[in-house]
Amino acid sequence: MGDEGVHDYLGAVKTGTTIMAAVYDGGVVMGADSRTSTGNYVANRVTDKITSLAENIYICRSGSAADTQALSSYITYFLHQHRIEYDDLPEVKVAANLAMQMAYGNKNALMAGLIVAGWDAKNGPSVYAIPLGGTLIQVPFTVGGSGSAYVMGYCDKNWRPGMTREECEAFVRKVVALAMTYDGSSGGMIRTLTINESGAHRHLTRGHEVPVGWNELQGTSQGDIASN
């Protein structure tokens, strides 16, 4: 193999994903696809991109899996120390600020787009977006990853304040499904997590249960889709 082939092989690895979170009346709903890609290769089709930081706070990860997993581990450690010191669950904004400080302080070395969301007794439900570079913004809803470019218009039109839990869960699943339809780097299953005063509740939409987009094949299983 010549030098040119080696250079192509060692080129920058492209990553892709879709993550989001939205506030509803009483809690938050987080969602993500399950595809981890390295260029045109799907490295993992069942990745869990919604990671627990504390009992009441979770983080959605996009960018470099290694970078975001390391960041999540550090934040979890610091929040554990925080709970020991204050003998109470941390506020969501504390976790968000920890994530921001680490992402911004190492912005030249990391590729990490994050969403921190959860519920706490003082502030209720809240969502914080931390895009590449480390900016921290509290928002009612946010979408991240490569799939976000395809669905921002849909989100702006269809999100509304005061949604019920069921409406918000359906909204998040629809947004992630649309992103998976049009973004080749997003796919697999849809994982959603609802966080409210009673705790965190997970839901999994398997691949054959994901709503299909326009002109997609409709099947009840992977075998049905393959046979078409």
Side-chain angles (χ1 to χ4, degrees), residues 8 30 53 64 74 123 149 151 183:
D8 292 341
M30 307 177 77
L53 300 179
S64 166
Y74 277 114
N123 304 294
V151 294
D183 177 31

Side-chain angles (χ1 to χ4, degrees), residues 20-22 139-143 148-161 163 171 175 178:
M20 81 164 299
V139 289
F141 75 89
T142 185
V143 190
S148 63
Y150 300 91
V151 294
M152 282 305 301
Y154 179 88
C155 292
D156 288 337
K157 180 178 180 180
N158 291 278
W159 183 87
R160 56 183 173 78
M163 284 193 290
F171 169 69
V175 170
L178 286 171

Side-chain angles (χ1 to χ4, degrees), residues 27-121:
V28 299
V29 179
M30 307 177 77
D33 72 314
S34 66
R35 176 176 293 175
T36 296
S37 58
T38 56
N40 295 325
Y41 177 72
V42 178
N44 189 341
R45 60 195 179 113
V46 292
T47 306
D48 187 357
K49 303 175 184 177
I50 308 175
T51 303
S52 173
L53 300 179
E55 295 176 26
N56 58 323
I57 307 170
Y58 283 71
I59 188 170
C60 280
R61 304 178 290 106
S62 68
S64 166
D67 291 350
T68 57
Q69 286 172 359
L71 275 176
S72 300
S73 296
Y74 277 114
I75 298 166
T76 301
Y77 169 77
F78 289 131
L79 289 179
H80 180 67
Q81 299 299 314
H82 182 280
R83 180 166 187 182
I84 292 174
E85 182 176 352
Y86 289 94
D87 193 27
D88 196 8
L89 290 173
E91 297 178 27
V92 181
K93 66 181 180 182
V94 172
N97 274 278
L98 278 171
M100 177 272 293
Q101 290 176 19
M102 297 184 68
Y104 182 79
N106 300 278
K107 61 183 179 181
N108 294 324
L110 299 176
M111 184 169 62
L114 309 169
I115 300 172
V116 178
W119 184 95
D120 61 72

Side-chain angles (χ1 to χ4, degrees), residues 10 16 29 137 213 220:
L10 296 177
V29 179
I137 314 166
T220 57

